[in-house]
Amino acid sequence: VRPLQWVVMLYNNEVVPGSILNISTGNTTRGHRFHSQALIEISDANDYENSLLEQGKVIADYEQRKAKIRAGVEDAAKQHKGIAVIDEDLLDEVASLNEWPVPLVGQFDQRFLEVPTEALISSMKEHQKYFHMLDENGAMMPNFITLANIESKDPKQVIEGNERVIRPRLSDAAFFFETDKKTKLEDRREQLKKIVFQSKLGTVYDKTERVSKLAAKISAAIGGKPEDAERAGRLAKSDLVTEMVLEFTDLQGIMGYHYALNDGENKEVALALTEQYQPKFAGDDLPTTLSGCALSLAEKLDSLVGLFGINQPPTGTKDPFALRRAALGVLRILVEKQLALDLTDLISWALESYQLAGQTAKLDNANLEQQLISYLLDRFRARYEDEGVSVDVFLAVSARRPTQALDFDKRVKAVDAFAKRPEAAALASANKRVSNILAKQDADLSAVSLDSALLTEKAEQTLAKQIESLSAQVLPLFDQGDYSAALTLLAGLQASVDNFFEDVMVMADDPAVKQNRLLLLKQLSDLFLRVADISLLSK
């Protein structure tokens, strides 16, 4: 926070009288503290930006500063035969720190490139706000780009000053890396017993014990190597107690990967250690390996089951364990990696890992499974809204409560496509009417069969034949999860359904005829309910 020195408040060309923090308003401002010494008079509010730029060497517009920095950094890298890597968060930050940004390229000792690239980048970015450069092969160059807030008469001196500052930072990173490599990840596990994950759920060590077992089970279910997933689970948190991660917390998992390779672990195990945290945010990359998928799912499910189990789900204002992000991560992995795993099974397996660890008694939430499944499925809603899917479509599928995330997604996409068809509105309305009719009946229709001899009206005969014919075609499609093809076929029922309700009296005086017609409507409804409750699409 900087002290307030002056206030400019103008309406067109007139000063608006007043004071802020005992500073009277006026029409004079100041420019860059080195490039501009005199007061700058703003004659009109519309001249503010130009006056500061021309007289004060200040780019007042934030977006213009960002654009100038981006272009300047990219150009500076090209001049040194490199490619600038522009981190958007860092760009935002340096744009807020500079009024007259001037990019300068410095260099550091080649030997530091032996340190993992991520550690060098983190050191330069976090401490010094530097951008890094890559060569044409994508390898990191021993250079950095800094933004000076001044056009120096001796830029070489400014560069050398920055080089002197970054050298000890990189030396620290190199020291941490060399020191950490002397102790294997496996040997660090004992230290995890001193770190509490959650008071009722034990230590981070306890979590790795549970997660390793769960990851192995998930890996087996998705065709991976359970032994690799279990090994990765055991080592998953060991890098938390390394010097490098203690200094740069954003490197957790990443350093685990490097140290695992140094320890002689296989590549899949090493990759899983960094992939366990993916996705970290919306749109982030997903794990690339089966062991990584298994470990990421296990890590997130362990937290979800544990926290829901002790009745500590996230609230509207508090989510200290980032369970919302974990839930979305679980769904993304299952859907986008095409993993046909059921949430009920996953939760059950997670509970088993707590049982094997002797911690099940602490999970005293009697409604854990149902509550957590509902929470997970509800995370889908925001995802589909972002994709432009109607809430009605989500609710229609959610009403059937499919607990396999991949299957849920297939249904939503199929119903979304169906809802755009010209037949959809009429069929949704008809299904709503059928639902209302059947809801008022006490008779159990599940034990009776349709009697074709009682179908006396042409409209009901036509509908019955079409339902019978379509059933033979769509039931295999349902079993295959091809809901789009099934609904496309069922859309052909519209005319027959419309004719049925126009020409046939469902509530006939003859009880047998009435029951037969109700059963026909139930068959119609049941076909659509294999996908979703499309009656909820009716306005």
Side-chain angles (χ1 to χ4, degrees), residues 91-262:
L91 178 61
D92 286 342
E93 191 170 2
V94 296
S96 300
L97 294 172
N98 288 272
E99 297 171 315
W100 194 255
V102 178
L104 298 171
V105 178
Q107 62 182 23
F108 54 83
D109 198 315
Q110 188 90 18
R111 68 184 175 87
F112 289 125
L113 293 179
E114 296 174 7
V115 178
T117 300
E118 298 91 347
L120 298 179
I121 294 170
S122 187
S123 183
M124 290 192 288
K125 175 184 170 184
E126 298 298 326
H127 291 305
Q128 302 304 132
K129 316 304 175 191
Y130 295 163
F131 295 94
H132 66 284
M133 293 163 51
L134 304 178
D135 63 20
E136 58 184 5
N137 297 317
M140 189 170 178
M141 297 174 65
N143 298 95
F144 61 86
I145 304 172
T146 183
L147 274 299
N149 191 29
I150 185 174
E151 282 186 13
S152 175
K153 295 177 181 178
D154 188 3
K156 182 181 177 183
Q157 189 173 335
V158 178
I159 292 170
E160 289 175 349
N162 279 275
E163 289 173 346
R164 284 195 299 273
V165 170
I166 195 60
R167 194 174 299 119
R169 296 291 188 184
L170 299 182
S171 294
D172 286 346
F175 174 76
F176 294 149
F177 184 55
E178 291 304 318
T179 302
D180 287 339
K181 287 194 297 183
K182 295 175 183 177
T183 306
K184 290 189 174 184
L185 291 175
E186 175 70 36
D187 296 336
R188 293 182 183 277
R189 296 194 70 235
E190 195 68 21
Q191 293 174 257
L192 302 178
K193 293 180 179 180
K194 300 175 184 177
I195 306 173
V196 175
F197 166 61
Q198 201 282 338
S199 58
K200 291 185 178 180
L201 302 179
T203 64
V204 173
Y205 177 90
D206 295 328
K207 183 175 178 66
T208 63
E209 288 288 286
R210 297 191 302 265
V211 166
S212 62
K213 295 178 177 64
L214 179 55
K217 193 145 193 171
I218 294 173
S219 179
I222 61 177
K225 296 179 180 178
E227 62 276 14
D228 283 350
E230 183 168 10
R231 179 64 176 167
R234 285 177 58 80
L235 303 178
K237 306 300 179 183
S238 292
D239 69 341
L240 296 180
V241 292
T242 61
E243 296 295 329
M244 187 75 85
V245 174
L246 288 172
E247 178 69 17
F248 303 107
T249 55
D250 59 322
L251 295 181
Q252 59 183 340
I254 295 171
M255 294 315 301
Y257 164 78
H258 290 290
Y259 294 143
L261 290 180
N262 181 72

Side-chain angles (χ1 to χ4, degrees), residues 433-446 448 450 455 460 467 500-501 504-508 510-526:
R433 186 173 178 182
V434 170
S435 179
N436 290 336
I437 291 172
L438 295 177
K440 297 175 183 177
Q441 307 305 312
D442 295 328
D444 181 11
L445 300 175
S446 60
V448 294
L450 192 71
L455 299 173
E460 63 181 333
I467 288 176
F500 176 88
F501 279 115
V504 178
M505 174 68 71
V506 177
M507 311 306 283
D510 186 331
V513 172
K514 171 185 170 183
Q515 178 176 273
N516 208 48
R517 290 173 179 172
L518 288 171
L519 182 57
L520 181 60
L521 292 181
K522 184 176 184 301
Q523 289 181 351
L524 170 69
S525 176
D526 286 348

Side-chain angles (χ1 to χ4, degrees), residues 304-344:
L304 286 162
V305 168
L307 273 298
F308 271 78
I310 59 173
N311 293 292
Q312 288 192 25
T315 64
T317 56
K318 293 182 180 180
D319 187 12
F321 289 89
L323 296 185
R324 287 188 186 87
R325 187 173 68 196
L328 287 169
V330 167
L331 296 177
R332 275 198 64 197
I333 292 171
L334 293 175
V335 171
E336 295 176 36
K337 303 301 282 189
Q338 300 282 296
L339 303 180
L341 297 175
D342 197 289
L343 294 174
T344 304

Side-chain angles (χ1 to χ4, degrees), residues 59-113:
I59 303 172
D61 186 274
Y62 178 72
E63 293 302 325
Q64 284 183 21
R65 288 202 305 278
K66 278 182 64 174
K68 182 177 176 63
I69 291 170
R70 186 190 296 277
V73 168
E74 289 175 345
D75 185 59
K78 285 179 184 176
Q79 290 179 26
H80 286 74
K81 298 181 179 179
I83 302 166
V85 179
I86 298 179
D87 179 277
E88 293 300 321
D89 289 339
L90 180 57
L91 178 61
D92 286 342
E93 191 170 2
V94 296
S96 300
L97 294 172
N98 288 272
E99 297 171 315
W100 194 255
V102 178
L104 298 171
V105 178
Q107 62 182 23
F108 54 83
D109 198 315
Q110 188 90 18
R111 68 184 175 87
F112 289 125
L113 293 179

